[in-house]
Amino acid sequence: MTDDKSTQMLTRLHHVNFLVKDLEQAVARYQDILGVVFTQRDELPDRGVKIARTCVGETWIVLVQPVDSQGVAAKHLERHGEGFFLISYQVEDVFAAATQVTAAGVVPVNSQPRQGLDDWQVLDLPADDLFGVSIQLVQSTDQG
Amino acid sequence: MTDDKSTQMLTRLHHVNFLVKDLEQAVARYQDILGVVFTQRDELPDRGVKIARTCVGETWIVLVQPVDSQGVAAKHLERHGEGFFLISYQVEDVFAAATQVTAAGVVPVNSQPRQGLDDWQVLDLPADDLFGVSIQLVQSTDQG
């Protein structure tokens, strides 16, 4: 829909994360209501979460249950309740993206890209700078 | 990534809406920080909003500014602040989808699909049933 996709920093809506209190309950309801089958399960001990995910079109839909009360996800859930957690846009080069956002005055939460699921290299941007939305930039080889 | 895409009710992540207080300020910041150029502008008087949107990959990213203090968007902004508003999944047949979600015990906010932007036929589901996330189902001919 745009004239210059080739020059855009953001190439794809890579994943959207939603926080839930009870992963199994949420997975069952998503399947029951929307016919969504979550095809992959993961645990990320460093982030203090367990995860169920699947692709809708080219985008991963990710349900996230905090399992560590001190983690970022648990604190977000405590503060905001269940619901939207973050949106992650794919970029060609996460280091170049980090340089670009920093030049625009945004200080990423992590100074260096961190390892996410699979081969995802993730840069977190602060929600305060982006109108209340936690945005990630991710470099990965997957195609959704 | 799934084995049975052809049988899934949800075929694509069609659009994601974010509420902002000042559309022009948000558009400028998105361009400055992320290089996003919002290619289309719309007004939806019935919804009491004005809109800037563009596609990232196959998904519309939509910034929404309430212009009617009595509208759904304005009330959501007042209650929750700026940030995520709703996620909309494309379906082949919104009437069939309405039947399916109703059979699963979910009562759509609007009993009949309503007209959205372009040729979008939209069914809103209540966030209370879906773990704090306002989900829409949309039938449309656009391909992102």
Side-chain angles (χ1 to χ4, degrees):
Chain A
M1 293 287 178
T2 58
D3 297 330
D4 56 348
K5 277 189 176 178
S6 62
T7 62
Q8 285 199 10
M9 182 164 89
L10 312 183
T11 58
R12 164 188 166 210
L13 181 38
H14 188 273
H15 64 275
V16 186
N17 287 13
F18 299 105
L19 284 174
V20 298
K21 292 177 184 169
D22 183 324
L23 192 62
E24 297 317 315
Q25 186 183 34
V27 163
R29 287 285 285 165
Y30 264 78
Q31 180 158 1
D32 191 32
I33 297 170
L34 300 172
V36 173
V37 178
F38 287 88
T39 53
Q40 290 194 231
R41 299 296 187 110
D42 309 275
E43 297 191 4
L44 276 177
D46 290 350
R47 296 279 283 173
V49 298
K50 62 180 183 178
I51 286 167
R53 58 180 165 137
T54 195
C55 275
V56 174
E58 65 182 18
T59 300
W60 289 103
I61 302 300
V62 186
L63 301 181
V64 178
Q65 178 191 328
V67 293
D68 173 359
S69 63
Q70 297 308 304
V72 171
K75 289 180 177 175
H76 193 284
L77 179 63
E78 188 179 341
R79 194 176 312 121
H80 300 286
E82 293 183 299
F84 176 82
F85 184 30
L86 63 83
I87 189 166
S88 186
Y89 296 102
Q90 188 162 351
V91 295
E92 296 278 341
D93 180 337
V94 73
F95 289 95
T99 300
Q100 180 168 332
V101 301
T102 303
V106 172
V107 180
V109 175
N110 44 324
S111 60
Q112 293 292 315
R114 65 176 172 79
Q115 179 68 43
L117 295 167
D118 301 340
D119 71 344
W120 306 357
Q121 293 293 316
V122 170
L123 191 75
D124 299 289
L125 306 184
D128 289 350
D129 286 342
L130 291 153
F131 309 94
V133 180
S134 292
I135 290 180
Q136 273 185 0
L137 304 177
V138 60
Q139 180 179 335
S140 81
T141 56
D142 71 4
Q143 299 300 312
Chain B
M1 292 286 176
T2 56
D3 297 331
D4 56 347
K5 277 189 177 179
S6 62
T7 62
Q8 284 199 12
M9 183 165 86
L10 311 183
T11 59
R12 164 188 166 209
L13 182 38
H14 187 274
H15 63 274
V16 186
N17 287 13
F18 299 104
L19 284 174
V20 298
K21 292 177 185 169
D22 183 325
L23 193 62
E24 297 317 316
Q25 186 183 34
V27 162
R29 287 284 285 164
Y30 264 78
Q31 181 158 0
D32 191 34
I33 297 170
L34 300 172
V36 173
V37 177
F38 287 88
T39 54
Q40 290 194 231
R41 299 296 188 107
D42 309 276
E43 295 191 6
L44 276 176
D46 290 351
R47 297 277 283 173
V49 298
K50 61 180 183 177
I51 286 167
R53 56 178 166 140
T54 195
C55 274
V56 173
E58 66 182 17
T59 299
W60 289 102
I61 302 300
V62 186
L63 301 182
V64 178
Q65 178 190 328
V67 293
D68 173 358
S69 63
Q70 297 307 304
V72 171
K75 290 180 176 175
H76 194 283
L77 179 63
E78 187 178 342
R79 195 175 312 121
H80 300 286
E82 293 183 300
F84 176 83
F85 184 31
L86 62 85
I87 188 166
S88 185
Y89 295 103
Q90 187 162 350
V91 295
E92 296 278 341
D93 180 336
V94 72
F95 289 94
T99 300
Q100 181 168 330
V101 300
T102 303
V106 173
V107 180
V109 175
N110 45 324
S111 61
Q112 293 292 313
R114 64 176 172 81
Q115 179 67 44
L117 295 168
D118 301 340
D119 71 344
W120 306 358
Q121 293 293 316
V122 171
L123 192 74
D124 299 289
L125 305 184
D128 290 349
D129 286 342
L130 291 153
F131 308 95
V133 180
S134 292
I135 290 179
Q136 273 184 359
L137 305 177
V138 59
Q139 180 179 334
S140 81
T141 56
D142 70 2
Q143 299 299 311

